[in-house]
Amino acid sequence: MTKEIEFKIFTKNKGFKLSVNIVVYSLLFIGIGIAYLAREYLDNSTIENLGQGVGILACMLMIYFKITQASKRKSLNGNLNKKLRFRTREILIDDIKIELNEIKKIEFYINDYFDKWESQAPGDFAPGRTNGTSNICELTLINGHKTKVNFQLMYENEFLKMRELLLQYYSENKIHFLKLIEYLGIEKYEEIQEFKKTLPPTLAISNAG
């Protein structure tokens, strides 16, 4: 049995973050606003030209960020200083140890990995590649308390290294069968039936649902 699997916990920074979209759209609206006010109310061509220049600059930035979107990675806007560690009989969230017998349910939301490409809407100019930090582990304890943390995956299917521990948690009724096959990437009916055959009979009957 695998002794321990470790991931980095992502802790998001608090407070306001200046984004690419805020910058380009702010410049665009400011430029249009200056040009309009200068023409309609001030009758000042110099200020109007300045506004038009700001608007043109915003449009050029939009083109640049859209072209480079596929090769740029989103800023981390947080830190990866803490560790999430999974063991056979316990889970550690940095220095907080939670015994397996204290846990009622373990759930994961796995949809991200480092440098993954995410398509962006036409009007979104943010970088298109991720930091792999949108994955979530949620623990529901026997006492009703819930703990949720984001963690980083560095490559596609990295989470499959958790296979042995996931099977262990399933055997302890901490993970539902349908969630287990989701985490293991088992989707086709035939694959599910074959997977069931690899489980001890008591587990296949009692937990598969």
Side-chain angles (χ1 to χ4, degrees):
M1 169 62 69
T2 304
K3 290 184 178 181
E4 180 177 290
I5 299 294
E6 179 181 287
F7 300 104
K8 292 181 179 179
I9 293 175
F10 173 65
T11 304
K12 188 176 181 178
N13 288 338
K14 297 180 180 179
F16 175 77
K17 179 198 173 194
L18 189 64
S19 68
V20 167
N21 288 324
I22 291 175
V23 171
V24 295
Y25 281 114
S26 295
L27 285 174
L28 179 64
F29 292 135
I30 289 172
I32 292 174
I34 290 174
Y36 175 79
L37 292 173
R39 184 176 67 252
E40 296 295 326
Y41 299 103
L42 302 178
D43 194 25
N44 189 315
S45 60
T46 301
I47 296 178
E48 183 181 353
N49 290 337
L50 174 63
Q52 291 175 349
V54 173
I56 292 171
L57 173 62
C59 292
M60 293 176 64
L61 288 174
M62 287 178 176
I63 294 171
Y64 168 76
F65 286 125
K66 205 64 182 178
I67 291 174
T68 61
Q69 191 173 58
S71 61
K72 289 185 177 294
R73 192 178 304 116
K74 291 178 173 62
S75 60
L76 189 60
N77 192 33
N79 68 76
L80 296 163
N81 299 330
K82 298 179 180 179
K83 306 292 184 182
L84 176 62
R85 288 170 286 175
F86 296 94
R87 296 174 181 171
T88 306
R89 306 306 309 173
E90 60 194 19
I91 296 174
L92 291 89
I93 301 175
D94 204 33
D95 58 350
I96 300 174
K97 181 188 294 186
I98 304 175
E99 301 290 342
L100 197 63
N101 58 18
E102 298 179 67
I103 300 173
K104 179 180 181 181
K105 183 169 61 175
I106 303 172
E107 290 186 285
F108 298 97
Y109 303 90
I110 308 300
N111 59 7
D112 197 10
Y113 57 88
F114 188 79
D115 215 33
K116 177 185 177 183
W117 162 250
E118 288 185 340
S119 59
Q120 308 296 313
D124 189 349
F125 302 97
R129 297 196 174 275
T130 74
N131 287 287
T133 57
S134 296
N135 307 291
I136 297 172
C137 171
E138 181 173 282
L139 306 179
T140 302
L141 305 187
I142 300 295
N143 62 15
H145 179 73
K146 288 189 176 183
T147 299
K148 183 187 294 187
V149 294
N150 284 72
F151 65 96
Q152 185 182 50
L153 292 177
M154 293 305 297
Y155 54 87
E156 189 174 9
N157 296 324
E158 182 187 6
F159 191 67
L160 291 179
K161 68 186 184 182
M162 282 280 293
R163 181 185 177 90
E164 291 183 27
L165 285 174
L166 291 174
L167 289 169
Q168 171 65 25
Y169 298 156
Y170 167 71
S171 73
E172 299 282 347
N173 291 313
K174 309 302 180 182
I175 296 177
H176 191 275
F177 179 77
L178 294 179
K179 287 294 184 180
L180 176 66
I181 59 176
E182 175 188 323
Y183 303 149
L184 296 178
I186 303 172
E187 300 176 352
K188 296 181 179 179
Y189 176 81
E190 296 79 6
E191 294 176 340
I192 294 173
Q193 299 311 308
E194 288 298 316
F195 175 67
K196 284 183 178 180
K197 294 177 183 179
T198 68
L199 299 173
T202 53
L203 288 183
I205 294 173
S206 63
N207 293 355

